[in-house]
Coordinates of all heavy atoms in Angstrom, one line a residue:
N47 N 63.6 103.1 137.6 CA 63.3 101.9 137.5 C 64.1 100.9 138.2 O 65.4 101.2 138.1 CB 63.1 101.5 136.1 CG 61.9 101.9 135.5 OD1 60.9 102.0 136.1 ND2 61.9 102.1 134.2
G48 N 63.8 100.0 139.0 CA 64.6 99.0 139.6 C 65.1 99.4 140.9 O 66.1 98.9 141.5
S49 N 64.7 100.6 141.4 CA 65.1 101.2 142.8 C 64.6 100.3 143.9 O 63.6 99.7 143.9 CB 64.6 102.6 143.0 OG 65.2 103.4 142.0
T50 N 65.6 100.4 144.9 CA 65.2 100.0 146.2 C 64.9 101.1 147.1 O 65.6 102.1 147.1 CB 66.5 99.2 146.9 OG1 66.8 98.1 146.1 CG2 66.2 98.7 148.2
V51 N 63.7 101.1 147.7 CA 63.3 102.2 148.6 C 63.2 101.7 150.0 O 62.7 100.7 150.4 CB 61.8 102.5 148.1 CG1 61.2 103.7 149.1 CG2 61.9 103.1 146.6
W52 N 63.9 102.6 150.9 CA 63.8 102.4 152.3 C 62.9 103.4 153.0 O 62.9 104.6 152.5 CB 65.2 102.4 152.9 CG 66.1 101.3 152.5 CD1 65.8 100.2 151.8 CD2 67.4 101.1 153.1 NE1 66.9 99.5 151.8 CE2 67.9 99.9 152.6 CE3 68.3 102.0 153.9 CZ2 69.3 99.5 152.8 CZ3 69.4 101.5 154.1 CH2 70.0 100.3 153.6
S53 N 62.2 103.1 153.8 CA 61.2 103.9 154.6 C 61.0 103.5 156.0 O 61.3 102.4 156.4 CB 59.8 104.2 153.8 OG 59.0 102.9 154.0
D54 N 60.3 104.4 156.6 CA 59.8 103.9 158.0 C 58.5 103.2 157.7 O 57.9 103.0 156.6 CB 59.6 105.1 158.9 CG 58.8 106.3 158.4 OD1 57.9 105.9 157.6 OD2 58.8 107.3 159.1
E55 N 57.7 102.9 158.7 CA 56.5 102.2 158.7 C 55.2 103.1 158.6 O 54.2 102.6 158.9 CB 56.3 101.0 159.9 CG 57.3 100.0 159.6 CD 57.0 98.9 160.6 OE1 56.6 99.1 161.8 OE2 57.5 97.7 160.3
W56 N 55.4 104.3 158.0 CA 54.2 105.2 157.9 C 53.4 104.3 156.9 O 53.6 103.8 156.0 CB 54.9 106.5 157.2 CG 53.7 107.4 157.1 CD1 53.0 107.6 155.8 CD2 53.2 108.4 157.8 NE1 52.2 108.8 156.0 CE2 52.2 109.1 157.2 CE3 53.4 108.6 159.3 CZ2 51.5 110.1 157.8 CZ3 52.7 109.7 159.9 CH2 51.7 110.3 159.1
A57 N 52.0 104.4 157.4 CA 51.0 103.6 156.7 C 50.9 103.9 155.1 O 50.7 103.1 154.4 CB 49.6 103.7 157.3
A58 N 51.2 105.1 154.8 CA 51.0 105.6 153.5 C 52.2 104.9 152.5 O 52.0 104.8 151.3 CB 51.2 107.1 153.2
Y59 N 53.2 104.3 153.2 CA 54.3 103.6 152.4 C 54.0 102.1 152.4 O 54.8 101.5 151.7 CB 55.6 103.9 153.1 CG 56.1 105.3 153.2 CD1 56.7 105.8 154.4 CD2 55.8 106.3 152.2 CE1 57.2 107.1 154.5 CE2 56.3 107.6 152.3 CZ 56.9 108.0 153.5 OH 57.3 109.3 153.7
N60 N 53.0 101.6 152.8 CA 52.7 100.2 152.8 C 52.8 99.4 151.5 O 53.3 98.4 151.3 CB 51.4 99.9 153.4 CG 51.4 100.0 155.0 OD1 52.5 100.0 155.6 ND2 50.3 100.0 155.5
R61 N 52.3 100.2 150.5 CA 52.2 99.6 149.1 C 53.5 100.1 148.2 O 53.5 99.9 147.0 CB 50.9 99.9 148.5 CG 49.9 99.2 149.2 CD 48.5 99.2 148.5 NE 48.3 100.5 147.7 CZ 47.6 101.5 148.2 NH1 46.9 101.5 149.4 NH2 47.4 102.6 147.5
V62 N 54.5 100.7 148.7 CA 55.7 101.2 147.9 C 56.2 100.0 147.1 O 56.5 100.1 146.0 CB 56.7 101.8 148.7 CG1 58.1 102.1 148.0 CG2 56.2 103.2 149.3
G63 N 56.4 98.9 147.8 CA 57.0 97.8 147.2 C 56.3 97.2 146.0 O 56.7 96.4 145.2
S64 N 54.8 97.7 145.9 CA 54.2 97.1 144.7 C 54.2 98.0 143.5 O 53.6 97.7 142.4 CB 52.7 96.8 145.1 OG 52.0 98.1 145.5
L65 N 54.9 99.1 143.7 CA 55.0 100.2 142.4 C 55.9 99.3 141.4 O 56.8 98.7 141.6 CB 55.7 101.3 143.0 CG 54.8 102.3 143.9 CD1 55.6 103.5 144.4 CD2 53.6 102.7 143.4
P66 N 55.4 99.6 140.2 CA 56.2 98.9 139.1 C 57.7 99.2 139.0 O 58.4 98.3 138.4 CB 55.5 99.3 137.8 CG 54.7 100.5 138.2 CD 54.4 100.4 139.7
N67 N 58.2 100.3 139.4 CA 59.5 100.8 139.2 C 60.3 100.5 140.4 O 61.5 100.8 140.5 CB 59.6 102.2 138.9 CG 58.9 103.1 139.7 OD1 57.9 102.7 140.4 ND2 59.3 104.4 139.9
V68 N 59.7 100.0 141.5 CA 60.5 99.7 142.8 C 60.7 98.2 142.8 O 59.9 97.3 142.7 CB 59.6 100.1 143.9 CG1 60.3 99.6 145.4 CG2 59.4 101.6 143.9
S69 N 61.9 97.7 142.9 CA 62.4 96.4 143.0 C 62.4 95.8 144.4 O 62.0 94.5 144.6 CB 63.7 96.1 142.4 OG 64.8 96.8 143.2
S70 N 62.5 96.6 145.4 CA 62.3 96.2 146.7 C 62.0 97.4 147.6 O 62.5 98.5 147.4 CB 63.5 95.3 147.2 OG 64.6 96.2 147.2
H71 N 61.4 97.0 148.7 CA 61.1 98.1 149.8 C 61.5 97.6 151.2 O 60.9 96.5 151.6 CB 59.5 98.4 149.7 CG 59.1 99.3 150.7 ND1 57.9 99.3 151.4 CD2 59.6 100.5 151.1 CE1 57.6 100.4 152.2 NE2 58.6 101.1 152.1
G72 N 62.4 98.2 151.8 CA 62.9 97.8 153.1 C 62.2 98.8 154.1 O 62.1 100.1 153.7
V73 N 61.9 98.4 155.3 CA 61.3 99.2 156.4 C 62.1 99.1 157.7 O 62.7 98.1 157.9 CB 59.8 99.1 156.6 CG1 59.1 99.3 155.3 CG2 59.6 97.6 157.0
V74 N 62.0 100.2 158.3 CA 62.3 100.2 159.8 C 61.3 100.8 160.7 O 60.5 101.6 160.3 CB 63.7 101.1 159.9 CG1 63.4 102.7 159.6 CG2 64.2 101.1 161.3
N75 N 61.2 100.1 161.8 CA 60.2 100.5 162.8 C 60.7 101.4 163.8 O 61.4 100.9 164.6 CB 59.5 99.3 163.4 CG 58.5 99.6 164.4 OD1 58.2 100.6 164.8 ND2 57.6 98.5 164.7
H76 N 60.4 102.8 163.6 CA 61.0 103.8 164.4 C 60.6 103.7 165.8 O 61.2 104.3 166.8 CB 60.8 105.2 163.8 CG 61.8 105.4 162.7 ND1 61.6 106.5 161.9 CD2 63.0 104.9 162.4 CE1 62.6 106.5 161.1 NE2 63.4 105.5 161.3

Side-chain angles (χ1 to χ4, degrees):
N47 283 332
S49 291
T50 297
V51 176
W52 287 1
S53 72
D54 58 21
E55 290 189 332
W56 181 261
Y59 300 140
N60 286 346
R61 295 191 322 261
V62 165
S64 67
L65 294 175
N67 52 332
V68 174
S69 65
S70 67
H71 178 217
V73 297
V74 59
N75 182 340
H76 281 163

